[in-house]
Structures are given as C-alpha cells and as structure tokens.
Amino acid sequence: MRGEDRDSGALFSYVSCEARVPADHPLRAIRAIVGEALDVLSPAFEELYSKTGRPSIAPEKLLRALLLQAFYGIRSERQLMEQLNYNLLFRWFAGLSMDAPVWDATVYSKNRDRLIAGDIAVRFLRAIVGTERVRGLLSDEHFSVDGTLIDAWASMQSFRRKDGGDDDTGAPPGRNAARDFRGEKRSNETHASTTDPDARLYRKGNGQSSRLCFIGHVLLENRSALIVDATLTHANGTVERAAALAMLDRRTHRRGRITLGADKAYDVSGFVGELRARRVTPHIAIDGHPSKNGRRRKTAVDGRTTRHPGYASSQRVRKRIEESFGWIKSSAGLAKTRHRGIERAGWMFTLTAAACNLVRLPRLLAEAPP
C-alpha cells in the first residue's frame, strides 16, 4: 500500500540527538577523546572567564564546534552556525540539545577570540597527546619536522607600497585599484598587504610564483605519525629551521638523545650544529644531485649519522608528514587561511593539527595492544 505524502510534524518529540547517532559512528570515539582533553583544560577555562556576569558560550561546546568545522571542511563560522541549526549529528557532537538555540555567528566569533587570547589551541593539542591512552602510542626518541605554505586571506592587488606611492586613481570605493605588476620590483621591505599586514610575499622555489602566505610548521612523532607540536610563522627563507628549534625547545620533559628527520632544506651547518648542541641527531636528507657546475652540494650530515640503519628508517617515516599537511589543507580546507592576522591564523592552524590527530586516533587506539 502506498504511503501518503503528508507532513508528520508533532507538537512534542521524545527522541534525543543521542539516539539519532549510530553506536558505531566515528565521531563517538573522537568525542570521548575530546572529552578527556577538555577535562584537563577545565582549570585553564576557569582562568579565562569571570566569576560574575552573564554566562557566555561554554568553551567546551565552542571548541567541539570548531573541530566540526575542521572535520568537514566548513568554509565559515556563519555556515557552521547554519549547519548546527539543522544537522542533528553536529548538534550532538557540539553538545546542543534538540531545542537549544544556535548561537549568533558574531557572538560565536567574539567568544572564539577569548580562547585565542588564552592560547587554548596549543594546550588542547598537548592535552590530546598527553592523555594516558595516547601516550602509549608515542615515541620519546624519534621525530620529524617540516613546513608548508598556507595562503593568506589577501589578494596580490592588496600588496601596496608602504610609503603610499601607488597610484589608486580610478579605484572603486573600498577596493584596490587594478594594476599590472609585470616588471615592477616588489619586496616585503617596501610593500605590505593592506588586507593582512602579517602576510609576506614568498616564493617556494625557482620557477614558482610568489604568493602572500604564511608557513605552517609541524613536529611529527615517528612511531604513530601523530602531531606533537604545530606553529604558524611569517614566511621567509630561514624560518623553517628557527621554528624547528623552537618546537624542540618546548619539549622540556625529554630525556636522552633524540633523532630529527627533515628534508634537504634543513641541511645547513648552523642548524645541524644547533641540533647537536641540543643532543639531537640530525637525520636530514642529503642532496645527492650535482649542481649546474657538476659539483655536489656540500652537506653538514656526515657518515657518523648516515651509516646507521635508523637514518634510513627516519628518511622513510618523515615523508608521512606530508599526509598531515594534505589532510589539513584539503580535507580541513586550510590551504588558504580563513582569518586575517598571524595570531588568529596560527591559532586555527594549531587547532586543525589537533583535529588531524583526532581523525586518526580511534583507529590507532583500536589497533594498539592492550
């Protein structure tokens, strides 16, 4: 018998969001891990909020909603609020009941800025890799490091002279004048973006175009390929090595000598010397291809390191860092940052790196021996 096409709305509903989510849904395992990390961060949340006044958005709900934005590559927080309004799975993960009103997008962004001021993204990443279950998956001895370009939320038309010498005649109100930059010399010393002054003009290599961008850096643990630290910096030719040293220095609890895998861009004598001074063995790739004059590039890594089988193992594992960059930039939609300013963009990069770990952790924990 054919059913009737009739609205079946009822005045009361007795089904919760919890009942709508399948028991084997991947977000259930992720939500449990997130809950453990948020319990660790509860004292930090207490420091950020006043004891009096009107209650704001719960920081736990705010963070879970931001994770959903990374998991599903949602383009904006306004679109995230729209999804939370009708998506029962999103409501359940964020912690909203069926009847709870969805937050205003502007209020939501203002509350997010409070978490940025408290550096909650870094603490959240550390809380995830610091939980008792996850610590058993990590190695304290072998790591890899690399950086990737993150395009800034600014166009090349916004890259203007700092002294105001550009001719903007004919530009529409609130817009940059359209110009042809061919043949004109521009640099970060004389020009800056009017849209995002923190963005820097940078070219990854010869033959590639210059872009307004930042550089995102990741420190990867080699055993399970989990991200243990992440940061976003201005783009220049030496910042990758400086960021690697800064992330190593933040691992103050380590004991004994460790190894660090990296590509040939890190093969600089000064950087290798800094690693050895920190009791870090440099498992850095050697450029074995001859240059234009037929000579091989001088390397700072010698046979004391390359002769050991652990060097070859690090060279294989370090390439897995590209998997993390691929997820962050494609699945999470962070190939181009959605925020202006290095503080906001860096906070979101670190939170997205934590989301990258969360996507992989349920399978890793299920496969781990008891």
Side-chain angles (χ1 to χ4, degrees):
M1 176 179 174
R2 178 181 173 181
E4 297 180 0
D5 182 16
R6 181 184 301 173
D7 292 339
S8 56
L11 181 61
F12 301 103
S13 175
Y14 300 97
V15 180
S16 65
C17 294
E18 177 75 25
R20 294 288 186 179
V21 180
D24 58 348
H25 197 280
L27 282 185
R28 283 195 176 273
I30 293 176
R31 199 179 194 277
I33 301 170
V34 171
E36 296 178 20
L38 292 178
D39 289 341
V40 175
L41 292 180
S42 183
F45 293 145
E46 289 291 340
E47 297 174 1
L48 293 176
Y49 292 86
S50 173
K51 303 297 183 183
T52 60
R54 187 175 60 181
S56 65
I57 300 174
E60 294 86 355
K61 295 181 179 179
L62 196 151
L63 265 177
R64 286 194 291 263
L66 285 173
L67 289 174
L68 286 171
Q69 187 176 8
F71 292 154
Y72 292 92
I74 300 175
R75 295 191 304 272
S76 67
E77 292 172 0
R78 192 169 296 277
Q79 189 181 45
L80 175 63
M81 297 303 104
E82 180 183 346
Q83 288 274 354
L84 284 171
N85 193 37
Y86 60 76
N87 193 319
L88 297 185
L89 177 66
F90 283 18
R91 277 183 168 268
W92 167 81
F93 189 86
L96 293 175
S97 66
M98 294 283 287
D99 300 325
V102 177
W103 314 297
D104 180 79
T106 303
V107 175
Y108 182 85
S109 299
K110 291 292 184 181
N111 279 265
R112 170 182 43 79
D113 289 344
R114 187 193 300 269
L115 300 186
I116 293 176
D119 207 16
I120 294 300
V122 174
R123 297 186 184 186
F124 182 65
L125 176 59
R126 293 175 182 172
I128 289 174
V129 298
T131 57
E132 185 176 355
R133 290 192 296 167
V134 178
R135 279 201 307 266
L137 303 174
L138 303 178
S139 167
D140 294 331
E141 301 174 349
H142 307 291
F143 300 90
S144 298
V145 69
D146 203 357
T148 187
L149 294 184
I150 304 293
D151 288 336
W153 191 262
S155 70
M156 293 297 294
Q157 295 289 340
S158 71
F159 199 59
R160 321 291 288 177
R161 293 187 62 87
K162 294 181 180 179
D163 58 8
D166 291 309
D167 183 14
D168 290 337
T169 57
R175 300 282 301 275
N176 294 310
R179 297 183 55 202
D180 182 10
F181 297 110
R182 186 178 297 275
E184 180 182 347
K185 184 178 180 180
R186 296 182 296 168
S187 68
N188 293 312
E189 286 73 26
T190 58
H191 292 66
S193 171
T194 56
T195 304
D196 188 351
D198 287 335
R200 296 291 183 268
L201 190 67
Y202 186 74
R203 184 175 62 182
K204 187 69 172 179
N206 295 331
Q208 299 188 20
S209 61
S210 298
R211 301 149 58 183
L212 285 173
C213 57
F214 303 97
I215 297 184
H217 312 268
V218 160
L219 184 66
L220 194 79
E221 179 275 330
N222 283 3
R223 178 185 296 171
S224 301
L226 290 173
I227 299 171
V228 295
D229 204 346
T231 186
L232 190 88
T233 64
H234 295 295
N236 63 58
T238 62
V239 72
E240 287 189 79
R241 297 185 288 274
L245 295 176
M247 289 188 289
L248 287 173
D249 290 340
R250 286 199 286 265
R251 300 193 63 78
T252 55
H253 63 279
R254 66 181 180 89
R255 300 176 182 176
R257 182 173 290 276
I258 67 173
T259 66
L260 183 70
D263 59 30
K264 61 185 180 182
Y266 294 81
D267 188 8
V268 178
S269 58
F271 177 71
V272 172
E274 292 284 353
L275 291 183
R276 295 194 185 278
R278 290 168 168 80
R279 302 180 65 195
V280 178
T281 303
H283 285 183
I284 297 174
I286 297 175
D287 189 0
H289 299 285
S291 59
K292 294 181 180 179
N293 58 11
R295 298 179 180 178
R296 295 187 182 276
R297 182 177 179 271
K298 185 179 180 181
T299 178
V301 182
D302 52 31
R304 293 178 299 172
T305 301
T306 58
R307 64 180 179 177
H308 294 287
Y311 175 82
S313 178
S314 289
Q315 289 304 300
R316 289 193 302 270
V317 175
R318 72 169 179 83
K319 297 176 183 178
R320 296 195 63 185
I321 205 168
E322 300 297 339
E323 300 174 8
S324 300
F325 286 150
W327 189 90
I328 290 172
K329 297 173 74 170
S330 61
S331 297
L334 209 62
K336 183 171 186 176
T337 178
R338 296 180 289 266
H339 301 82
R340 288 180 289 181
I342 194 169
E343 185 180 17
R344 283 190 177 91
W347 194 88
M348 289 304 303
F349 179 79
T350 303
L351 186 69
T352 308
C356 182
N357 281 348
L358 289 169
V359 169
R360 299 186 61 245
L361 273 173
R363 180 180 61 82
L364 291 174
L365 292 172
E367 295 175 354

